[in-house]
């Protein structure tokens, strides 16, 4: 190594090692960052996408992989998406529009959960944190509009900016699927109202990082007693086909507040359901809606453009 390089290394090791790369490196428009690990991921993605494309020509023997290939082919069929438009989602939204009470919602709750719709309680089955040889049922709070609880603090200037970006995107989507401007504004306002009921009762990212405090086992009776608005024991039985001895609650403060969050708030809860359904499903419709539905997440990550059709289908699969 010559004297000049040695001097550079002594002066600034990072610049000496990475300087030339930094001058030429470009962040892909569909990514928020680039680097060696990103290059590794890109290479693996390309290989796996090539594999999936080959599978579409010669179907694999494994029955589960066959289903994956069918999904990949369906997800890539943007001509069909554009042809069908928003009709599939409009038909689905009718189920939510018809709801008039928590009793109505209860009848469909387990099916909505299994279909990936938003839920006032998030259920999951995973290894028991204190005994990994058995599975346990976990119950948590739903997600917030903003990325994390601290964004709602009055002294955090990013919160209002992000909420405005979310509202703009959501209004576009609601109008694209058939709601007029007044209806869209009302749905957004009521969704924000319901979201505001969740915020004081959920954990911040810092609090969630204390893993030991995520383990709060409760008996089924104790868990079900958290609210009279919905039958928690019944939905669990419908979801897993049995009544577990315990439910592990990761957000005990939220569950303790659940009854007051829901009580007398069905109208805004219903709007929250509808808006989340549109946000969750819009990316599966036309390419225009897929692009719009990613505006908020791209604002959060810094990506400039959505991924291309092929990569989207692969990631979904």
């Amino acid at each position: 190594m010559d004297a000049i390089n040695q001097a550079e290394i002594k002066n600034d090791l990072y610049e000496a090692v990475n300087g030339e790369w930094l001058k030429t490196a470009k962040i892909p428009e569909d990514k928020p960052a680039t680097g060696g690990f990103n290059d590794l991921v890109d290479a693996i993605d390309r290989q796996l996408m090539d594999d999936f494309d080959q599978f579409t020509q010669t179907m694999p023997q494994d029955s589960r992989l066959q289903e994956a290939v069918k999904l990949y082919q369906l997800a890539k069929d943007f001509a069909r998406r554009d042809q069908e438009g928003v009709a599939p989602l409009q038909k689905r939204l009718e189920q939510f529009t018809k709801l008039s009470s928590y009793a109505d919602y209860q009848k469909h709750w387990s099916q909505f959960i299994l279909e990936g719709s938003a839920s006032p309680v998030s259920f999951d089955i995973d290894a028991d944190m204190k005994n990994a040889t058995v599975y346990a049922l976990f119950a948590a709070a739903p997600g917030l509009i903003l990325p994390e609880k601290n964004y709602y603090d009055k002294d955090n200037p990013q919160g209002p900016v992000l909420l405005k970006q979310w509202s703009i995107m959501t209004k576009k989507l609601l109008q694209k699927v058939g709601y007029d401007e007044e209806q869209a504004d009302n749905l957004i306002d009521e969704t924000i109202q319901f979201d505001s009921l969740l915020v004081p009762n959920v954990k911040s990212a810092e609090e969630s990082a204390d893993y030991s405090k995520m383990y709060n086992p409760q008996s089924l009776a104790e868990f079900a007693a958290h609210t009279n608005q919905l039958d928690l024991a019944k939905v669990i039985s419908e979801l897993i086909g049995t009544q577990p001895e315990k439910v592990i609650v990761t957000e005990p403060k939220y569950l303790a507040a659940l009854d007051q969050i829901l009580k007398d708030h069905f109208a805004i809860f219903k709007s929250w359901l509808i808006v989340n359904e549109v946000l969750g499903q819009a990316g599966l419709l036309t390419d225009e809606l897929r692009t719009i539905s990613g505006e908020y997440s791209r604002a959060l990550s810094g990506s400039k453009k959505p991924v291309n059709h092929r990569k989207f289908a692969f990631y979904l699969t």
Side-chain angles (χ1 to χ4, degrees), residues 18-92:
N18 301 301
E20 287 301 315
W21 180 84
L22 288 169
K23 292 175 184 177
T24 58
K26 292 183 179 181
I27 298 175
E29 289 188 321
D30 64 348
K31 289 183 178 294
T34 191
F37 285 110
N38 299 78
D39 293 341
L40 179 62
V41 170
D42 286 342
I44 294 170
D45 283 350
R46 284 193 297 271
Q47 177 63 60
L48 291 174
M49 285 189 285
D50 287 344
D51 289 343
F52 267 97
D53 286 333
Q54 289 179 1
F55 286 148
T56 63
Q57 303 301 317
T58 306
M59 189 66 77
Q61 296 298 312
D62 185 273
S63 60
R64 293 168 298 177
L65 196 51
Q66 289 175 6
E67 293 303 307
V69 174
K70 290 176 186 177
L71 176 58
Y72 178 66
Q73 290 175 304
L74 190 63
K76 274 209 312 182
D77 192 352
F78 278 85
R80 175 178 172 179
R81 290 181 187 220
D82 289 336
Q83 182 180 8
E84 294 184 351
V86 298
L89 180 54
Q90 287 175 329
K91 184 177 180 180
R92 183 166 174 78

Side-chain angles (χ1 to χ4, degrees), residues 95-105 266-267 270:
Q95 300 177 72
F96 295 93
T97 304
K98 291 177 181 177
L99 299 175
S100 61
S101 65
Y102 287 118
D104 272 354
Y105 177 69
F266 181 76
K270 178 178 171 179

Side-chain angles (χ1 to χ4, degrees), residues 251-272:
E251 298 247 16
K253 182 180 177 182
Y254 171 77
L255 266 298
L258 181 61
D259 195 70
Q260 289 304 309
I261 290 171
L262 295 176
K263 189 176 181 181
D264 300 325
H265 293 139
F266 181 76
I268 61 175
F269 169 71
K270 178 178 171 179
S271 293
W272 178 81

Side-chain angles (χ1 to χ4, degrees), residues 141-160:
L144 303 174
I145 292 174
L146 299 183
E148 201 269 322
K149 181 176 180 175
N150 291 328
Y151 280 85
Y152 293 85
D153 292 346
K154 291 181 179 179
D155 58 351
N156 189 331
Q158 290 181 297

Side-chain angles (χ1 to χ4, degrees), residues 69-262:
V69 174
K70 290 176 186 177
L71 176 58
Y72 178 66
Q73 290 175 304
L74 190 63
K76 274 209 312 182
D77 192 352
F78 278 85
R80 175 178 172 179
R81 290 181 187 220
D82 289 336
Q83 182 180 8
E84 294 184 351
V86 298
L89 180 54
Q90 287 175 329
K91 184 177 180 180
R92 183 166 174 78
L93 288 172
E94 290 176 4
Q95 300 177 72
F96 295 93
T97 304
K98 291 177 181 177
L99 299 175
S100 61
S101 65
Y102 287 118
D104 272 354
Y105 177 69
Q106 180 82 49
K107 297 173 186 176
H108 307 279
W109 190 12
S110 61
Q111 190 59 38
F112 286 158
I113 291 173
L114 293 173
E115 291 172 350
S117 298
S119 170
V121 181
S122 175
F123 292 103
D124 182 39
I125 293 178
D126 209 338
D128 190 311
M129 295 159 68
K130 295 286 182 76
N131 180 6
T133 63
V134 297
Y135 286 106
L137 179 67
F138 289 75
L144 303 174
I145 292 174
L146 299 183
E148 201 269 322
K149 181 176 180 175
N150 291 328
Y151 280 85
Y152 293 85
D153 292 346
K154 291 181 179 179
D155 58 351
N156 189 331
Q158 290 181 297
V161 174
L162 290 176
L163 188 59
K164 183 178 180 180
Q165 289 178 315
W166 176 88
S167 298
I168 291 171
M169 177 199 71
T170 304
K171 185 172 181 176
K172 288 181 190 176
L173 292 173
L174 289 169
Q175 290 183 292
K176 289 289 183 182
V177 301
Y179 295 97
D180 62 32
E181 184 172 7
E182 183 179 352
Q183 290 172 325
D185 286 338
N186 184 63
L187 283 166
I188 290 168
D189 288 344
E190 292 192 339
T191 299
I192 292 172
Q193 288 178 47
F194 189 75
D195 184 71
S196 70
L197 298 177
L198 308 181
V199 175
N201 300 295
V202 300
K203 291 182 178 181
S204 66
E206 183 179 0
E207 290 169 328
S208 296
D210 190 343
Y211 201 61
S212 63
K213 291 183 180 178
M214 301 288 278
Y215 194 84
N216 303 280
Q218 298 179 359
S219 69
L220 182 61
E222 182 183 5
F223 177 74
H226 284 304
T227 180
N228 295 319
Q229 312 306 311
L230 293 166
D231 191 334
L232 292 168
K234 183 177 180 181
V235 77
I236 286 174
S237 179
E238 291 173 352
L239 286 170
I240 65 175
T242 187
Q243 294 191 335
E245 292 182 6
K246 65 181 179 183
V247 180
I248 299 174
V249 174
T250 60
E251 298 247 16
K253 182 180 177 182
Y254 171 77
L255 266 298
L258 181 61
D259 195 70
Q260 289 304 309
I261 290 171
L262 295 176

